[in-house]
Structure formats: C-alpha cells, structure tokens
Amino acid sequence: LQGSYNLLLVALSVVIAVLGSYTALTLASHIPPPEVAGGISSRTPAQPKDRFFWIGCAAFSMGAGAIWSMHFIGMVAFDLGVTVRYDLLVTALSLIIAVAVTGVAFHVVTQYTGRIVYLVTAGVVMGFGVAGMHYTGMAAMRIPATVHYDPVLFVASVVIAIVASIAALWLSVNCEANIQMFGGALLMGLAVSGMHYTAMAAARFTRSSETMRITETALSPELLAYGVFLLSLVTLSVGISFALTRRALSEARRSLGSETA
C-alpha cells in the first residue's frame, strides 16, 4: 500500500510540536533545583516543594502537548486509502509512555544540572521512550494490512529521537530569555517532527486478506484528530498562561523585596 499526506495536517502537526515544546520549556524553567533550601532562586520562581508539580506540568506539555499530539495528527495526516481505526487502550498507553519518560528525564536533568553524563543518560532514556511511544501508537492502528519496518530508517528514527531529547533537556536547563525558549522550541519541534516522519517512512504496509475487525474501543481518525486538537489547545493555553502569570508574580515579589531592602 502506498500512502499520501494531507499537507495541511502535516503543517499543523509541526506547529503543534513547536508550540508544545515552547510551553514545556517555559514550564521547565520554573523547576527548582533540589539543592535550593528555600526562597526564590534567580531562575526558578517556584518553591522547592513545588518541584514535582512543575516537572509534571513540563512533562505533560512536552510528552502530550508536543510529542504525542504531533505524532497522532501526523498519523491522521497519512492516508493509505483504506479504513483506519485506532485502539483506544493502546493509544492511551502510548500517551502514558510519552508523559512518563519525559517526566523522569526532566527530574534527572534538573536534579543534576551541569553534569553531562546525567544529561546524556536522561536524553537516551527519553529518546527510547519517544520512539517507544511512536511505535506503540503505530501498533494501535487497526487496518486491513500488515506492517513491517525498514531497519535503516527504523534505527535512524530512534537516533533522531535520542538527539532531539538530549537537545530538549539541555534547553530546559539553559534557556532563560523568552527569545531563547522560542528558538529552542522551534528547533525541538522540527526535530520531533523529523523523528516522526522518518519513522513513518520506515513503515511498509502490505494489504492483508483478513477482514478488519473494529472493536468498540477503536477510534475513528476524525474523532482522534478532534481530541488531539483539544488536548493541545488546553495544554498550550493553560500551561503558558499559568507559567507566565507565575513568573510575573515572582518578578513582582523580587522587585518588592529589592525595594524593601
């Protein structure tokens, strides 16, 4: 089977990857290092007790808002000319994988800031997780065809995922200015998209003679597209608004403290 792409949806998937990455980097800038005993640091306007809250927000924005959302909009953009459905439980599992590995990676890299071995280790874990999310999502497809992968492109997609993950984690602890975050998000969004479409290029679909059985837990591509769009919209709007409001309040507190001193 030879597939084709809806170019509008492809463009939308890249935009969501960039915006989701920007949201995640903005939220990650609030993650307090564990060694801060109290007060407000110059880089992280959150109290240390909020560390896991901010890690969770950043992980959800990156894992669900950028990586997972981009992946499934990109999947919907791919047309094989046959009926395609997605198993709900496997689709949910792919989402959990993306958020979980991203959260672990953010925790490690912000706990050991400046240590290259931890950055690389966390990036490798996150990269394999991103690749695992993609291929789990591919396994959720219910189509009258069998799927196998070109080994070279398969490996290339995993390598891209690892490199992109290391870059994202480095940016999360080194980008402070808004323009830096936007530039980093642009690069990250393009890298995430590159991984996805490389992995899609690795897939080979062969029509099967078996009749596809659509279960009650299968989602239509249209419903999936609407759900992913709403998830991305909520993630970006709430995440960015909350992070920027928290930053503004923290800057006001620091300014008030300086005037009092």
Side-chain angles (χ1 to χ4, degrees):
L1 295 174
Q2 296 298 319
S4 61
Y5 282 100
N6 180 322
L7 296 182
L8 179 60
L9 286 177
V10 170
L12 181 60
S13 72
V14 176
V15 169
I16 288 178
V18 173
L19 294 180
S21 297
Y22 177 75
T23 304
L25 293 178
T26 302
L27 291 166
S29 70
H30 291 68
I31 301 174
E35 64 269 14
V36 176
I40 301 173
S41 72
S42 60
R43 181 177 180 274
T44 54
Q47 296 292 335
K49 64 182 180 181
D50 296 329
R51 174 175 169 77
F52 287 103
F53 169 77
W54 288 104
I55 288 176
C57 289
F60 187 80
S61 296
M62 180 66 79
I67 299 170
W68 188 83
S69 297
M70 180 276 137
H71 164 79
F72 279 102
I73 290 181
M75 292 285 290
V76 172
F78 186 64
D79 181 16
L80 274 172
V82 297
T83 301
V84 180
R85 294 291 185 270
Y86 295 90
D87 185 274
L88 179 59
L89 296 179
V90 181
T91 299
L93 176 61
S94 69
L95 171 60
I96 293 171
I97 291 173
V99 175
V101 297
T102 304
V104 170
F106 275 131
H107 169 65
V108 172
V109 79
T110 55
Q111 182 163 345
Y112 301 100
T113 303
R115 302 183 186 181
I116 188 65
V117 64
Y118 289 101
L119 171 65
V120 173
T121 300
V124 170
V125 170
M126 182 174 169
F128 276 114
V130 170
M133 176 281 305
H134 174 88
Y135 290 107
T136 300
M138 290 288 290
M141 294 178 70
R142 297 294 177 260
I143 56 177
T146 57
V147 185
H148 64 278
Y149 296 96
D150 178 278
V152 174
L153 290 176
F154 176 87
V155 172
S157 70
V158 176
V159 171
I160 292 173
I162 292 173
V163 173
S165 297
I166 293 174
L169 295 173
W170 184 87
L171 290 168
S172 72
V173 294
N174 286 281
C175 285
E176 298 183 9
N178 198 51
I179 188 64
Q180 290 178 317
M181 291 183 186
F182 181 78
L186 180 61
L187 293 174
M188 185 60 201
L190 293 175
V192 169
S193 302
M195 178 270 160
H196 171 83
Y197 291 109
T198 299
M200 290 301 294
R204 302 288 184 267
F205 299 90
T206 304
R207 187 182 294 275
S208 172
S209 59
E210 295 182 4
T211 302
M212 182 179 66
R213 185 181 64 180
I214 301 176
T215 66
E216 294 181 355
T217 61
L219 297 177
S220 70
E222 292 77 13
L223 288 177
L224 183 60
Y226 291 137
V228 168
F229 174 77
L230 291 175
L231 174 63
S232 301
L233 182 63
V234 169
T235 299
L236 297 177
S237 60
V238 174
I240 284 290
S241 299
F242 183 70
L244 294 181
T245 300
R246 187 63 178 265
R247 177 177 296 174
L249 291 174
S250 299
E251 290 176 352
R253 290 171 61 186
R254 286 199 296 270
S255 178
L256 182 60
S258 298
E259 292 177 1
T260 304

